Amino acid sequence: SLSFKMERKTIDLDQGWDYMQTGITKLKRILEGLPEPQFDSEQYMMLYTTIYNMCTQKPPHDYSQQLYDKYREAFEEYIHSTVLPALREKHDEYMLRELVKRWSNHKVMVRWLSRFFYYLDRYFIARRSLPPLNEVGLTCFRDLVYNELHSKVKDAVIALVDKEREGEQIDRALLKNVLDIYVEIGMGQMERYEEDFESFMLLDSASYYSRKASSWIQEDSCPDYMLKSEECLKKERERVAHYLHSSSEPKLVEKVQHELLVVYANQLLEKEHSGCRALLRDDKVDDLSRMYRLYHKIVKGLEPVANIFKQHVTAEGNALVQQAEDTATNHAANTASVQEQVLIRKVIELHDKYMVYVVECFQNHTLFHKALKEAFEIFCNKTVAGSSSAELLATFCDNILKKGGSEKLSDEAIEDTLEKVVKLLAYISDKDLFAEFYRKKLARRLLFDRSANDDHERSILTKLKQQCGGQFTSKMEGMVTDLTLARENQNSFEEYLGNNPAANPGIDLTVTVLTTGFWPSYKSFDINLPAEMVKCVEVFKGFYETKTKHRKLTWIYSLGTCHLNGKFDTKPIELVVSTYQAAVLLLFNTTDKLSYTDILTQLNLSHEDLVRLLHSLSCARYKILLKEPSTKTVSQSDSFEFNSKFTDRMRRIKIPLPPVDERKKVVEDVDKDRRYAIDAAIVRIMKSRKVLGHQQLVSECVEQLSRMFKPDIKAIKKRMEDLITRDYLERDKENPNMFRYLA
Amino acid sequence: MPRTASKPTKKRSKPYTVTSSDTDPVPSASSKTKKSSKENDEKYKLFNKYANTSSGIIDPEGIEKLCSKLKVSHTDIKILMLAWKMKAKRQGYFTKAEWRRALKALKVDTIKKLKKALPELEKEVRKPLNFADFYAYAFRYCLTDERQNCIDIGTICQLLDMVLGSTFRDQVDHFVDYLKIQNDYKVITMDQWMGFYRFCNEISFPDMTNYSLELAWPLILDNFFEWMREKQA
């Protein structure tokens, strides 16, 4: 036991140190696990005070420097005599355990000794700018133990890691403790951990996975390989959580991803029977989702996947188009048009199907939205049997919206289809062409009362407006409004007739007044109307002038309908015909037989129109007129006679007039509008920019017009030249590729 | 090229009015100008030899007379160059002022001297800076109407041959062939006309490897280029 007088007597260095040694020895015994009681507070205080006194003594007995050095030497001695030998004799896992123990012990020793020598920390080290006691203690371990062993330790750790990777159980806690040493020995910096352990571990991991990948890629299918990869990544993350430092996670994951997924990306995705293409073909949604998850985290990893997706969808779309094209060439006209409608349906289904992929498998990623869009833009702009996609789509809409078109479908189903059709329009570059076809067909539906449901008509216009803007639908909306107004107008007309019995034409007359700007342009011919109809026109004109004086009425007889009473021998039958057809038939009220030429001169029609009319009345289903000779087609030398013997079981029949192919006119009208649109765009751009290079002007023009159509570069050039001739633009004198706006 | 008397002269739009005193403003007589007005007298005497007495200007008939005196065909480019030197406004007619301008610049006052001066004039016109101006002038000169701004294909073909035939034979031959068979254009504008000149100067022919459809060449040249490529294939 120790006894000490609490007298402030000068302590000699050796004397004092001997006393400290007893404390140090006691501590070592405790650390070695020998039977030794813990320090009690009195012992502690005495050790502490000894240091205090030796430091506060008057020179030459102030021993701070010596004590500071002896403090360090105490560690060095212990390490050399006990710690290092113990470690040097062990290997692998045993060595690791020993190291952990020795490190732990060392920390305890540092803690205790630095408490005993604490007074040095208070004043001495600051005065001399020396490292504090804690640091001195740790530095000893680092310089003597760590520096000698860290490489061996690292090898042992990595060997265990690889063992674990191969499926064996290892002592994770041990590894955690070992790696904590690397971190702590850095004393606030991660350098030791990173340079002495992590960098080697990463290299080893990369090489490990490189070996695995090279054999898996040969043996495994794409889905299996992906499963393995996913599992490996999961396991590596777990590894980090259990014993590596958290900062290693991104680096380790990157290495593993690189070896498994980046190096072999191409081989994996392009695997013949199980790669991305095959997965899409076989609707392997789960596998594709996994593929997305894996490649999502890799820089530019999704690009090849999106590309394959785009190619796949394009191929499917092209196949549908080809199918429709083949059917059209091999079958009759009406089967072809049915096939075209089937095509639109199938395209909609294709879109629905792959949109699900984009949203679910590919988590709504923009790359895949873009891929889908680009794919559809490729095949949605192909022509099928001479019809543009714009026309097909417009016909599809017409079929849904007209009477007898889709009455079997529920309102909801119709709404849904209309919604999808409008979405499809986004992919079509010639939107203006669609608008024009749609308008023409809408006109027919409205004027011939063939619209099935007003709500659906309005609904699709709303959807089109949302997607393409107000300008797109303004005319169509005007048309629908016109019809409502027309009904009101008709009521006023009937009232007018009621009040002016003398003006009554003697025939029931319904007139629909259309606002010119909204409706498609119609050619109006100067047909010679029968007297009865002429009177009708006069009467209505009279009425209309009472309402407005500032508008001009242009009559489009080609759109009119007439109900005639045919007084046939057997029984009278009501004939519902077009105005033109009626004009032809009424000629036979005064003459029994007429030649083609007679009719032509009397009515003042073109050959094309007259042949069509006479064909419908004499060579089609209902032969109201007898043709001589009774060949199947009308020729200019034929003559016609009223067929009094005609009869039918119905009391009223409609004699259809096949519509003129509107396609040519629509395309012409759209081309004309495009010329104006291009002019306007060029002028607008040049007015604001004043001077602009050719290529820039062209690309801005294309950009501005892209909402409605894809302008032909040559067409733009032509309009530019026209604007030069009209002095809107000029070429720059110095640079002929530059243009200038002329105010 | 200057019009000859054989062409009908009825279909003319309103020409600018010609007065007998259509001269540049002459400073009032003084000792200084007495000498110059004497020089002008010679030129005017020469002018009057060819001018139409009632209109006071040289008309197509007069030009034909002049050409035969100069021993040059009226379709020769040198006559057009002379018109350029005069800054003559109207095809087939030379006014007194225009006549004086050219003769003064050429420093001639007799037919003999004028004839001798023509080769020199050609050399001068063929200088690159002048030729571009001359080329543009040739187009304007052929416009028959103040309101008109384009020339029919037929005339263009002849004009190209006359103006560029000697320097760009190959290009002119091919382009003229093309103009005759294409249907897109029935007339040529000044922009297209100048474009062809640029084409001849900048594009190697007939390989045209430095031509690009991406640039702002007039569309007719793009079409010509594609037509040539097809032929070469």
Side-chain angles (χ1 to χ4, degrees):
Chain A
S1 68
L2 299 159
S3 62
F4 203 74
K5 277 204 198 140
M6 293 285 279
E7 270 177 18
R8 202 58 206 268
K9 252 191 6 198
T10 309
I11 309 169
D12 177 48
L13 178 60
D14 289 334
Q15 203 191 336
W17 186 248
D18 279 346
Y19 182 68
M20 292 313 295
Q21 270 296 65
T22 59
I24 291 169
T25 306
K26 181 179 171 70
L27 180 58
K28 285 192 217 171
R29 285 176 61 80
I30 295 170
L31 290 176
E32 290 294 324
L34 296 170
E36 180 73 44
Q38 291 292 328
F39 287 96
D40 61 41
S41 48
E42 205 192 313
Q43 289 164 325
Y44 172 83
M45 216 180 54
M46 302 241 262
L47 289 162
Y48 174 89
T49 313
T50 306
I51 297 295
Y52 174 84
N53 287 343
M54 288 205 277
C55 289
T56 51
Q57 288 169 167
K58 297 234 184 327
H61 302 293
D62 55 339
Y63 296 120
S64 296
Q65 179 66 58
Q66 293 91 319
L67 289 171
Y68 185 77
D69 292 335
K70 281 196 183 299
Y71 168 83
R72 195 190 65 249
E73 283 158 19
F75 288 109
E76 287 172 355
E77 189 278 320
Y78 182 58
I79 287 171
H80 280 302
S81 65
T82 316
V83 178
L84 277 173
L87 285 168
R88 282 176 187 146
E89 70 184 15
K90 297 196 170 63
H91 305 282
D92 308 315
E93 199 169 328
Y94 300 100
M95 174 196 47
L96 295 181
R97 282 188 206 289
E98 187 64 31
L99 180 66
V100 169
K101 187 177 103 179
R102 291 292 166 186
W103 171 246
S104 173
N105 282 355
H106 183 82
K107 283 191 282 185
V108 171
M109 190 170 168
V110 170
R111 201 175 330 130
W112 279 95
L113 287 192
S114 59
R115 280 182 197 157
F116 299 158
F117 287 70
Y118 177 65
Y119 196 73
L120 288 171
D121 261 346
R122 280 211 77 183
Y123 296 104
F124 179 68
I125 60 142
R127 231 184 292 143
R128 303 284 183 93
S129 300
L130 290 166
L133 294 178
N134 191 59
E135 193 180 320
V136 172
L138 294 181
T139 310
C140 281
F141 192 92
R142 185 193 67 195
D143 294 345
L144 297 172
V145 181
Y146 177 86
N147 282 352
E148 185 180 304
L149 293 173
H150 70 75
S151 186
K152 238 180 117 189
V153 170
K154 167 260 297 172
D155 288 338
V157 171
I158 287 176
L160 286 172
V161 167
D162 282 341
K163 230 170 131 184
E164 192 183 42
R165 283 181 177 146
E166 285 299 310
E168 289 191 45
Q169 284 251 28
I170 62 165
D171 186 345
R172 287 176 151 181
L174 171 64
L175 290 193
K176 177 148 182 54
N177 290 332
V178 172
L179 293 176
D180 280 346
I181 298 174
Y182 283 84
V183 177
E184 286 168 53
I185 215 88
M187 289 186 271
Q189 303 291 332
M190 286 299 287
E191 265 169 3
R192 301 271 56 82
Y193 173 81
E194 284 170 7
E195 285 174 28
D196 300 335
F197 170 73
E198 194 188 58
S199 58
F200 296 98
M201 181 274 293
L202 290 173
L203 271 168
D204 172 78
S205 304
S207 136
Y208 177 84
Y209 282 108
S210 172
R211 280 194 308 277
K212 289 287 172 186
S214 66
S215 71
W216 290 347
I217 197 71
Q218 305 291 337
E219 299 156 3
D220 295 327
S221 69
C222 173
D224 286 343
Y225 186 98
M226 290 197 296
L227 269 163
K228 283 185 180 164
S229 300
E230 203 173 46
E231 191 59 36
C232 288
L233 284 165
K234 179 161 164 256
K235 288 232 159 71
E236 293 300 325
R237 287 203 173 88
E238 275 174 22
R239 178 157 297 115
V240 175
H242 282 116
Y243 53 81
L244 299 177
H245 189 265
S246 62
S247 65
S248 292
E249 184 172 328
K251 300 174 205 175
L252 181 57
V253 165
E254 192 270 324
K255 282 270 186 256
V256 176
Q257 264 175 192
H258 181 80
E259 295 303 328
L260 289 176
L261 299 171
V262 174
V263 170
Y264 291 104
N266 203 48
Q267 266 175 277
L268 181 65
L269 297 176
E270 298 280 353
K271 253 185 191 278
E272 205 182 322
H273 302 293
S274 65
C276 189
R277 245 174 272 276
L279 296 175
L280 284 166
R281 212 179 43 223
D282 300 332
D283 295 323
K284 299 281 187 203
V285 173
D286 290 334
D287 292 327
L288 288 166
S289 300
R290 178 164 300 112
M291 186 179 277
Y292 175 82
R293 282 198 301 277
L294 289 171
Y295 280 94
H296 176 54
K297 301 187 195 124
I298 294 172
V299 172
K300 290 203 188 288
L302 288 174
E303 257 90 325
V305 182
N307 209 34
I308 295 176
F309 178 67
K310 178 176 157 188
Q311 286 169 17
H312 174 80
V313 175
T314 308
E316 298 249 304
N318 278 338
L320 291 179
V321 170
Q322 190 58 49
Q323 211 175 54
E325 180 81 48
D326 290 341
T327 318
T329 40
N330 296 333
H331 292 78
N334 46 4
T335 332
S337 68
V338 168
Q339 269 305 99
E340 286 158 18
Q341 300 305 297
V342 167
L343 172 64
I344 302 288
R345 258 217 189 275
K346 286 192 177 161
V347 169
I348 291 176
E349 281 164 17
L350 192 75
H351 192 257
D352 287 344
K353 177 178 174 186
Y354 287 107
M355 188 49 100
V356 170
Y357 274 67
V358 172
V359 171
E360 293 181 7
C361 284
F362 304 124
Q363 302 293 307
N364 246 328
H365 194 281
T366 41
L367 259 180
F368 291 88
H369 274 288
K370 185 162 169 263
L372 187 69
K373 173 174 173 284
E374 286 174 5
F376 270 75
E377 279 171 357
I378 292 173
F379 64 81
C380 281
N381 286 300
K382 293 200 162 169
T383 311
V384 177
S387 306
S388 62
S389 54
E391 189 183 345
L392 290 181
L393 208 58
T395 310
F396 187 78
C397 292
D398 188 53
N399 284 336
I400 296 176
L401 295 163
K402 72 180 185 201
K403 282 183 180 161
S406 55
E407 260 130 27
K408 302 171 217 134
L409 296 175
S410 69
D411 274 349
E412 230 178 66
I414 294 177
E415 270 298 297
D416 193 60
T417 310
L418 293 178
E419 181 93 38
K420 298 199 166 131
V421 166
V422 173
K423 286 227 169 74
L424 220 53
L425 184 59
Y427 302 123
I428 292 182
S429 45
D430 290 343
K431 292 178 181 55
D432 57 348
L433 196 57
F434 167 82
E436 196 55 26
F437 275 115
Y438 187 87
R439 216 159 63 111
K440 273 236 138 79
K441 292 177 201 282
L442 174 65
R444 263 220 298 278
R445 286 198 303 277
L446 293 175
L447 295 175
F448 299 119
D449 191 26
R450 298 227 199 100
S451 179
N453 182 317
D454 267 356
D455 290 334
H456 290 313
E457 292 280 359
R458 263 176 233 285
S459 161
I460 191 177
L461 288 184
T462 312
K463 292 185 215 293
L464 285 171
K465 193 171 176 175
Q466 261 176 344
Q467 177 138 314
C468 307
Q471 227 188 353
F472 192 83
T473 51
S474 60
K475 289 185 187 167
M476 300 169 194
E477 287 174 329
M479 285 161 70
V480 174
T481 316
D482 265 0
L483 264 282
T484 319
L485 292 176
R487 266 174 241 136
E488 287 169 21
N489 205 38
Q490 179 65 19
N491 290 336
S492 313
F493 178 55
E494 279 162 20
E495 217 184 281
Y496 167 87
L497 287 180
N499 298 336
N500 298 286
N504 199 309
I507 303 174
D508 286 336
L509 173 66
T510 309
V511 178
T512 312
V513 180
L514 313 172
T515 313
T516 313
F518 298 153
W519 296 75
S521 59
Y522 296 102
K523 292 188 274 195
S524 72
F525 293 108
D526 277 326
I527 182 175
N528 285 336
L529 288 176
E532 303 92 319
M533 294 189 195
V534 173
K535 178 132 210 292
C536 290
V537 170
E538 300 278 318
V539 167
F540 189 81
K541 259 174 83 177
F543 155 74
Y544 199 72
E545 266 154 31
T546 66
K547 299 194 83 204
T548 36
K549 289 224 187 283
H550 306 289
R551 300 209 192 127
K552 179 178 170 229
L553 287 177
T554 306
W555 294 80
I556 314 289
Y557 301 115
S558 56
L559 297 175
T561 312
C562 233
H563 292 240
L564 296 176
N565 280 327
K567 296 200 169 74
F568 303 101
D569 293 345
T570 319
K571 69 174 201 253
I573 299 177
E574 189 181 324
L575 307 171
V576 181
V577 292
S578 73
T579 307
Y580 282 12
Q581 284 167 316
V584 170
L585 290 175
L586 287 169
L587 289 175
F588 291 87
N589 270 354
T590 45
T591 331
D592 287 333
K593 200 167 178 179
L594 287 163
S595 73
Y596 176 95
T597 327
D598 290 335
I599 304 174
L600 184 77
T601 16
Q602 288 202 47
L603 292 180
N604 189 33
L605 286 170
S606 72
H607 285 291
E608 209 186 312
D609 284 327
L610 187 56
V611 165
R612 250 177 79 233
L613 289 167
L614 289 170
H615 188 278
S616 71
L617 297 168
S618 63
C619 307
R621 182 176 169 190
Y622 303 114
K623 292 174 175 49
I624 312 297
L625 297 177
L626 292 167
K627 187 170 80 78
E628 211 179 301
S630 61
T631 50
K632 291 212 174 122
T633 52
V634 174
S635 66
Q636 300 192 17
S637 52
D638 290 344
S639 57
F640 299 84
E641 199 178 343
F642 175 67
N643 182 9
S644 55
K645 302 244 179 304
F646 173 79
T647 194
D648 190 273
R649 62 184 182 89
M650 304 296 282
R651 284 204 164 270
R652 172 206 278 188
I653 55 177
K654 194 164 186 287
I655 305 185
L657 187 59
V660 191
D661 182 15
E662 59 200 6
R663 188 185 300 158
K664 209 171 115 193
K665 181 149 198 305
V666 168
V667 171
E668 268 173 29
D669 286 345
V670 168
D671 277 342
K672 205 166 69 170
D673 287 340
R674 284 180 180 180
R675 284 202 286 275
Y676 293 135
I678 296 174
D679 276 1
I682 295 172
V683 170
R684 198 167 41 236
I685 294 166
M686 290 307 296
K687 200 167 175 184
S688 99
R689 308 291 229 101
K690 305 282 183 244
V691 182
L692 199 57
H694 171 76
Q695 266 144 330
Q696 243 184 304
L697 177 57
V698 169
S699 74
E700 279 196 34
C701 209
V702 168
E703 163 86 43
Q704 275 202 20
L705 297 166
S706 63
R707 284 195 81 196
M708 288 303 278
F709 65 100
K710 207 159 95 162
D712 178 36
I713 305 293
K714 283 200 170 190
I716 296 179
K717 257 199 173 178
K718 195 141 201 214
R719 298 321 305 152
M720 274 169 66
E721 289 183 358
D722 196 63
L723 288 168
I724 292 172
T725 315
R726 283 151 62 197
D727 288 327
Y728 278 87
L729 303 177
E730 67 173 3
R731 260 182 228 272
D732 184 81
K733 306 268 185 305
E734 315 289 307
N735 180 359
N737 281 306
M738 199 79 124
F739 294 91
R740 215 171 270 282
Y741 182 67
L742 294 171
Chain B
M1 54 238 154
R3 283 233 217 91
T4 57
S6 50
K7 291 234 178 89
T9 52
K10 272 180 255 172
K11 277 201 219 148
R12 262 203 324 271
S13 64
K14 189 174 189 299
Y16 56 76
T17 49
V18 174
T19 58
S20 53
S21 59
D22 192 33
T23 59
D24 287 344
V26 177
S28 55
S30 69
S31 54
K32 214 188 206 176
T33 57
K34 250 201 188 136
K35 187 177 177 202
S36 54
S37 63
K38 197 177 183 211
E39 285 176 2
N40 285 343
D41 277 340
E42 288 299 317
K43 297 191 183 64
Y44 293 154
K45 256 199 228 154
L46 195 59
F47 179 79
N48 290 327
K49 275 207 189 141
Y50 300 96
N52 180 310
T53 40
S54 52
S55 64
I57 49 175
I58 300 179
D59 62 13
E61 210 183 307
I63 291 180
E64 203 167 341
K65 237 168 72 184
L66 175 67
C67 286
S68 71
K69 270 288 175 154
L70 290 171
K71 297 227 173 38
V72 163
S73 156
H74 66 260
T75 53
D76 194 305
I77 194 176
K78 293 199 259 296
I79 294 299
L80 184 57
M81 288 178 172
L82 182 63
W84 173 78
K85 200 68 187 172
M86 288 184 193
K87 296 204 208 308
K89 283 220 175 67
R90 204 163 130 229
Q91 194 184 39
Y93 297 84
F94 296 151
T95 67
K96 215 179 203 175
E98 289 166 357
W99 177 263
R100 188 186 69 92
R101 183 181 291 127
L103 266 62
K104 182 169 183 199
L106 293 172
K107 298 191 173 58
V108 300
D109 55 7
T110 65
I111 281 297
K112 226 171 157 188
K113 286 189 200 161
L114 180 58
K115 184 157 174 242
K116 266 207 182 141
L118 288 181
E120 273 304 305
L121 173 62
E122 181 164 358
K123 257 210 232 157
E124 184 200 341
V125 173
R126 287 204 182 275
K127 289 201 195 125
L129 266 172
N130 288 331
F131 197 80
D133 188 69
F134 169 70
Y135 181 80
Y137 173 82
F139 185 90
R140 287 195 303 273
Y141 189 67
C142 286
L143 294 174
T144 52
D145 192 321
E146 264 177 21
R147 291 168 304 195
Q148 193 192 23
N149 58 5
C150 43
I151 299 176
D152 66 277
I153 295 284
T155 310
I156 288 289
C157 289
Q158 290 177 326
L159 196 60
L160 279 173
D161 187 61
M162 184 211 269
V163 172
L164 295 179
S166 53
T167 38
F168 297 110
R169 182 81 265 152
D170 236 8
Q171 288 90 322
V172 170
D173 281 345
H174 282 98
F175 192 55
V176 162
D177 280 347
Y178 175 70
L179 286 178
K180 291 190 174 144
I181 61 132
Q182 58 82 37
N183 291 316
D184 298 313
Y185 297 94
K186 296 207 171 23
V187 291
I188 297 296
T189 64
M190 175 63 101
D191 186 62
Q192 288 165 319
W193 173 255
M194 296 310 293
F196 183 68
Y197 181 63
R198 249 195 320 127
F199 178 89
C200 290
N201 279 309
E202 293 175 25
I203 303 298
S204 65
F205 200 81
D207 57 277
M208 301 181 295
T209 45
N210 58 340
Y211 188 86
S212 167
L213 292 166
E214 308 279 312
L215 296 174
W217 292 103
L219 192 55
I220 196 174
L221 291 175
D222 285 348
N223 295 343
F224 171 59
F225 170 78
E226 284 172 340
W227 176 78
M228 286 288 297
R229 278 277 178 264
E230 239 176 273
K231 270 201 350 170
Q232 287 162 343

